[in-house]
Amino acid sequence: MNDTLQALIPQTRRDILRMVHKVNSGHPGASLGCTEFFIALYHKIMHLKPGFDMNGIGEDLFFLSNGHISPIFYSTLARRGYFPVAELSTFRLLNSRLQGHPGTHEGLPGIRVASGSLGQGMSVAIGAALSKKLNKDDRLVFSLHGDGELQEGQNWEAIMYAAGNQVDNLIATIDYNGQQIDGATDTVLPLGDLKGKFEAFGWEVLTIKEGNNIDAILHGLERAKAKTGNGKPICVLLHTVMGHGVDFMMHTHAWHGKAPNNEQLKIALNQNPETLGDY
Amino acid sequence: MKKYTYTEQKDTRSGFGAGLTELGRTNPKVVALCADLVGSLKMQGFIDENPDRFFQIGIAEANMMGIAAGLTIGDKIPFTGTFANFSTGRVYDQIRQSIAYSGKNVKICASHAGITLGEDGATHQILEDIGMMKMLPGMVVINPCDYNQTKAATLAIADYEGPVYLRFGRPVIPVFTPSDAPFHIGKAVMLNEGTDVTIVATGHLVWEALLAGEALEKIGISAEIINIHTIKPLDKEAIIASVQKTGCVVSCEEHNCLGGLGESIARVLALEHPTPQEFVATQDTFGESGTPKQLMEKYGLDSIAIIKAVQKVLERI
């Protein structure tokens, strides 16, 4: 891991915490849990063209299906240069391009479809992957889904389709943190043997056990890329800790959709020192 | 009364199929998706000539709408095909978020709309789809009247950038629009100029409106008959201009009176030219099994119902 990625980790977590604190709303838990994944994806794994165009021909694409973790998506896009970092201060405010859940309606660069109503992103990612095949574009499509989100039935339509039609230019990552709004997924609605389920549908499944270790993520995603083009869609089960990087937010669903107060923010920021400059 | 004749009867869904086949030859961006109803949607012609641009999704309409949205990323123009019921109500949230709110250039092509689906009964006879689709910001809603117009509409929506709901049906009905008639989205078609009453009809009810017009002429009532193939955006200028002349209007549609063309017309007139109006539409009810003709009669959607509505609205002036 190089120094830039190392520096981005606490800075991104500061962005997330400050964004949700300012408007006293938003979803810090899984945003913090997916911080290393987004940084690895956007700064190392994906081949990206400069600038932004909707069609994204000749570059890798990413779709966020669990749109409520918009804070990590916005921070990543801003710090990757899609829009000014200063704009993060407008998160969830009236007339902002940074809506509570991501959308294309306000024209924020880097977003290709709206998400928030859960379970739709995998279908969209498959469509984009099929478009790439028609265009003889050998770049890849990445997507991220919550584990609780897999309770939505549309996912399983998509999972069946992708395997049945050899959509092998798709790498769908599951944020396997075991938590959702009402509690642990095992108590709300158990997912069962997720690896076995994806495999039974005909997917290639990789597991990243240390989903908050950026080296492990980089290694795992490189392995996933190496497995594309072999007739099977790729699933990455990314074991993360919801709220990672802020000790009192970890290992609980309590911070799924709750912002810290002033005192809590101070403690949380102290655990994530400023490295690249706050927005 | 201008005389409309026909030499053949065809289903509007075949007009869609013919249009899609032509698009397969003329527009390489067009791709098609179907949820296990290729025969019903008449998509085989496109598939035979463009197998690489067709996606059989299986019985998974939600997935189909999402995949269609994704295909636009990469500059494809997806046409989805299934029954109107499964094209709208079943997948409303997918259309709302992944297509409409996301501004995707998807053409939702819906066959077997309305009660004339017939014997399959109410589970398949959607009478609420126009309402659902017209309420989505940015969605264009089109309901053409015969085979030729459906084919022309299919070609026209490929050249329009943005989400479109194209609604057509199963029964064979007279083909009376010219095969070379231009199709302009959002532009009403004046079928017959008249002075006593305005009849605004869409879809299968347009032919019934023409039959009603002929019968009304025989009893001395001059009906102006307008074909509204585009319910959204509505050609309000055409409607207002007509009612300024006639002073009353009857709206005709194979759809619930709540949420359909009639309510769109009523809104325009309430705002700009309050006018007595009668609604030929289903009256907040589900359908049932029967032949299309039996159902049109029972649910008050045929020329006789239009004539009665005209007589009623004339009494209100």
Side-chain angles (χ1 to χ4, degrees):
Chain A
M1 176 179 53
N2 65 34
D3 291 346
T4 309
L5 297 195
Q6 178 62 47
L8 273 164
I9 294 170
Q11 189 64 56
T12 299
R13 288 205 162 95
R14 291 178 69 87
D15 290 347
I16 294 165
L17 292 160
R18 294 176 67 236
M19 287 164 76
V20 299
H21 169 263
K22 180 179 176 184
V23 291
N24 193 27
S25 71
H27 298 77
S31 292
L32 294 167
C34 290
T35 296
E36 287 85 358
F37 171 78
F38 272 82
I39 291 170
L41 197 63
Y42 271 84
H43 291 270
K44 275 285 180 191
I45 297 295
M46 287 205 297
H47 171 86
L48 298 169
K49 296 189 296 190
F52 174 73
D53 68 88
M54 184 55 80
N55 287 321
I57 292 168
E59 65 179 331
D60 292 336
L61 304 179
F62 171 72
F63 294 94
L64 177 67
S65 189
N66 47 331
H68 57 274
I69 68 167
S70 56
I72 177 61
F73 198 12
Y74 293 150
S75 171
T76 303
L77 290 175
R79 294 204 177 265
R80 188 63 175 75
Y82 281 89
F83 57 85
V85 172
E87 200 170 340
L88 295 175
S89 67
T90 69
F91 176 61
R92 287 186 170 233
L93 297 180
L94 190 64
N95 300 322
S96 172
R97 297 198 293 179
L98 279 62
Q99 293 291 297
H101 294 78
T104 60
H105 200 254
E106 288 75 21
L108 188 68
I111 313 281
R112 288 193 166 85
V113 76
S115 60
S117 177
L118 293 172
Q120 300 185 27
M122 197 178 298
S123 302
V124 178
I126 289 168
L130 294 173
S131 203
K132 285 213 174 293
K133 283 178 179 270
L134 284 174
N135 289 331
K136 309 263 187 282
D137 177 352
D138 60 6
R139 294 299 175 187
L140 299 173
V141 175
F142 294 83
S143 60
L144 181 66
H145 315 264
D147 50 359
E149 185 185 10
L150 295 177
Q151 291 158 0
E152 291 281 7
Q154 185 182 345
N155 286 301
W156 300 96
E157 296 182 1
I159 291 164
M160 189 184 297
Y161 182 91
N165 291 277
Q166 294 87 46
V167 185
D168 58 4
N169 53 345
L170 169 67
I171 299 175
T173 298
I174 311 301
D175 178 16
Y176 209 170
N177 61 25
Q179 305 287 338
Q180 57 192 108
I181 298 180
D182 277 355
T185 51
D186 277 346
T187 57
V188 176
L189 179 60
L191 301 171
D193 177 8
L194 209 47
K195 183 169 188 288
K197 284 177 178 169
F198 270 95
E199 286 175 344
F201 274 72
W203 285 54
E204 182 78 39
V205 184
L206 300 175
T207 297
I208 299 176
K209 288 182 180 167
E210 296 178 71
N212 293 108
N213 175 334
I214 198 158
D215 289 323
I217 296 168
L218 289 169
H219 179 67
L221 290 179
E222 288 293 352
R223 275 196 306 144
K225 282 172 74 170
K227 286 181 178 294
T228 58
N230 287 319
K232 286 185 173 186
I234 315 294
C235 169
V236 176
L237 296 178
L238 180 73
H239 289 265
T240 68
V241 173
M242 189 180 263
H244 198 273
V246 178
D247 56 8
F248 61 89
M249 291 186 175
M250 291 171 67
H251 302 291
T252 170
H253 66 276
W255 297 89
H256 168 93
K258 183 181 152 190
N261 63 25
N262 291 342
E263 187 59 29
Q264 290 161 336
L265 177 71
K266 197 174 163 190
I267 297 166
L269 291 179
N270 281 338
Q271 295 173 15
N272 292 278
E274 186 176 354
T275 53
L276 299 170
D278 287 339
Y279 63 79
Chain B
M1 172 89 191
K2 189 176 170 187
K3 185 72 182 167
Y4 285 87
T5 57
Y6 63 93
T7 55
E8 59 179 338
Q9 301 199 65
K10 286 185 178 180
D11 45 359
T12 51
R13 59 180 167 151
S14 289
F16 164 71
L20 189 65
T21 299
E22 187 168 324
L23 284 172
R25 296 169 188 155
T26 58
N27 191 335
K29 292 182 180 180
V30 169
V31 299
L33 303 84
C34 188
D36 197 31
L37 285 169
V38 163
S40 294
L41 270 287
K42 307 294 182 186
M43 297 172 92
Q44 196 61 49
F46 179 92
I47 297 167
D48 288 343
E49 295 180 9
N50 312 277
D52 295 344
R53 287 195 272 149
F54 172 72
F55 302 96
Q56 172 59 269
I57 305 297
I59 311 165
E61 294 83 6
N63 191 38
M64 178 165 73
M65 293 305 167
I67 290 178
L71 277 161
T72 66
I73 301 162
D75 209 21
K76 303 303 167 198
I77 306 174
F79 282 59
T80 68
T82 183
F83 288 174
N85 189 18
F86 314 135
S87 295
T88 57
R90 187 177 183 91
V91 290
Y92 196 70
D93 189 41
Q94 284 77 16
I95 294 173
R96 183 176 180 274
Q97 175 172 285
S98 293
I99 296 175
Y101 181 49
S102 294
K104 296 306 183 198
N105 191 23
V106 174
K107 316 305 173 186
I108 301 163
C109 302
S111 184
H112 294 54
I115 206 158
T116 52
L117 174 145
E119 292 82 351
D120 277 353
T123 56
H124 288 50
Q125 292 161 336
I126 195 156
L127 296 163
E128 309 92 49
D129 55 324
I130 291 174
M132 282 189 279
M133 290 297 110
K134 79 176 187 181
M135 281 198 292
L136 289 170
M139 183 67 73
V140 166
V141 179
I142 297 174
N143 186 31
C145 67
D146 70 357
Y147 173 95
N148 284 339
Q149 192 169 74
T150 307
K151 183 182 176 187
T154 304
L155 299 175
I157 62 176
D159 292 329
Y160 168 83
E161 175 78 27
V164 174
Y165 178 61
L166 179 65
R167 177 192 211 241
F168 43 89
R170 175 171 181 259
V172 292
I173 57 161
V175 182
F176 60 94
T177 63
S179 61
D180 60 349
F183 188 93
H184 301 295
I185 295 171
K187 190 76 186 151
V189 179
M190 177 66 74
L191 291 176
N192 188 63
E193 295 192 13
T195 53
D196 298 334
V197 60
T198 299
I199 301 175
V200 184
T202 189
H204 294 144
L205 273 281
V206 176
W207 179 252
E208 297 295 324
L210 290 171
L211 294 177
E214 289 179 15
L216 288 165
E217 187 179 40
K218 287 176 184 159
I219 56 171
I221 297 169
S222 167
E224 179 141 301
I225 302 172
I226 297 172
N227 170 14
I228 288 280
H229 51 63
T230 307
I231 292 156
K232 184 186 172 188
L234 189 64
D235 188 349
K236 63 180 189 178
E237 289 78 15
I239 294 166
I240 292 168
S242 180
V243 299
Q244 280 173 341
K245 184 168 56 172
T246 63
C248 60
V249 60
V250 171
S251 56
C252 312
E253 60 194 311
E254 190 182 346
H255 190 271
N256 195 348
C257 61
L258 306 178
L261 167 67
E263 283 197 347
S264 288
I265 292 169
R267 178 181 170 276
V268 164
L269 295 179
L271 286 168
E272 304 197 28
H273 191 83
T275 306
Q277 178 178 353
E278 289 293 326
F279 298 73
V280 172
T282 58
Q283 300 301 309
D284 198 19
T285 180
F286 292 104
E288 63 177 290
S289 293
T291 66
K293 191 172 183 321
Q294 289 170 333
L295 292 164
M296 293 281 273
E297 183 183 347
K298 176 167 179 177
Y299 288 85
L301 301 173
D302 59 4
S303 61
I304 294 168
I306 296 171
I307 292 163
K308 286 181 184 166
V310 166
Q311 290 169 329
K312 193 170 174 189
V313 82
L314 285 171
E315 289 169 12
R316 292 173 54 198
I317 297 179

